[in-house]
Amino acid sequence: EVQLVESGGGLVMPGGSLRLSCAVSGLTFSDAWLNWVRQAPGKGLEWVGRIKSKGSGGTTDYPASVKGRFTISRDDSKDTLYLQMNSLKIEDTAVYYCTWQGTQLNFFHSWGQGALVTVSS
Amino acid sequence: EIVLTQSPGSLSLSPGERATLSCRASQSISRSYLAWYQQRPGQAPRLLIYGASTRVTGVPDRISGGGSGTDFSLTISSLEPEDFAVYYCQQYDSSPCTFGQGTKVEIK
């Protein structure tokens, strides 16, 4: 069974930075294409970005809303995914989910339980 | 980017009734690259269907998906208590992938 466990959420001031981690088990991490998806309180889902496996180039993709502020990285030696968030805005407040896409198609087979990030002064 | 509009916003039904949820895309989704997720209160979303109509292993066959082009649907033939939740559609035909705003299925 694939398991994804996020950590690192918390309260941060506008303009600040935060790094989320996601520990992954139950699959061959180095082959996995992984994503972050967020959900603002009481709202819908928004894709935040993806990192491909190193074998597929290890490249990242982001939507315009976070491009240049958020960076996704991976440590295949630790089976861990990261989301570095800089220049945080109040509208970045959300639960952030780590997700696994089981194929090269960008839909999400497995989800973590989420990490709450609150941006507030 | 492709905008997905789900309707209705909420649906109030009784257990045993049939639910039909709609997801309309702002432009045609080729290859039926559309997925459906279920989110119960306090839980992460769960993948139900991909490729518009392929059920994930373990999803009961009372839940089915269909459609093509710009119009897609999710049908629950006979609602069970565990089906009362919010459902989201998602297109992965073009980047960025996008989600609909959700349909809440409530107990009447």
Side-chain angles (χ1 to χ4, degrees):
Chain A
E1 180 191 359
V2 176
Q3 289 200 316
L4 307 105
V5 179
E6 302 92 339
S7 60
L11 176 63
V12 60
M13 294 185 66
S17 297
L18 198 65
R19 188 178 83 158
L20 300 182
S21 300
C22 174
V24 181
S25 60
L27 52 76
T28 304
F29 184 86
S30 59
D31 291 339
W33 291 32
L34 299 160
N35 295 254
W36 291 94
V37 176
R38 69 183 178 183
Q39 186 170 35
K43 302 296 184 184
L45 301 165
E46 180 186 16
W47 175 69
V48 171
R50 173 183 67 189
I51 187 165
K52 297 180 181 178
S53 65
K54 284 197 167 59
S56 296
T59 54
T60 53
D61 300 283
Y62 306 94
S65 57
V66 306
K67 196 168 188 177
R69 299 189 300 122
F70 289 11
T71 302
I72 297 174
S73 61
R74 62 193 298 154
D75 186 337
D76 288 0
S77 69
K78 295 182 178 178
D79 291 359
T80 301
L81 176 73
Y82 301 100
L83 177 64
Q84 177 68 44
M85 301 181 288
N86 297 332
S87 304
L88 281 161
K89 305 175 182 180
I90 290 174
E91 54 264 38
D92 294 319
T93 295
V95 173
Y96 285 75
Y97 296 101
C98 168
T99 70
W100 169 62
Q101 56 180 89
T103 71
Q104 294 190 0
L105 298 173
N106 199 202
F107 63 93
F108 314 114
H109 282 82
S110 298
W111 297 63
Q113 86 288 352
L116 177 62
V117 173
T118 303
V119 184
S120 174
S121 54
Chain B
E1 69 181 46
I2 296 177
V3 175
L4 299 178
T5 302
Q6 292 186 240
S7 60
S10 63
L11 209 46
S12 187
L13 294 168
S14 300
E17 288 194 294
R18 181 185 187 89
T20 303
L21 287 62
S22 172
C23 176
R24 179 162 289 177
S26 59
Q27 60 193 79
S28 184
I29 296 174
S30 59
R31 299 165 291 185
S32 294
Y33 281 174
L34 187 107
W36 289 92
Y37 301 85
Q38 176 193 67
Q39 187 175 33
R40 296 176 177 139
Q43 295 187 15
R46 167 197 174 202
L47 177 66
L48 297 176
I49 285 177
Y50 61 93
S53 61
T54 301
R55 265 189 304 272
V56 170
T57 301
V59 172
D61 59 9
R62 66 178 182 273
I63 296 175
S64 62
S68 63
T70 60
D71 290 303
F72 298 87
S73 63
L74 181 75
T75 300
I76 307 172
S77 60
S78 178
L79 284 162
E80 296 287 338
E82 61 267 28
D83 298 332
F84 292 93
V86 180
Y87 293 83
Y88 294 95
C89 58
Q90 179 227 345
Q91 68 79 22
Y92 49 98
D93 183 42
S94 67
S95 187
C97 66
T98 51
F99 293 88
Q101 83 281 14
T103 290
K104 185 175 184 179
V105 179
E106 302 175 300
I107 299 178
K108 189 173 183 179

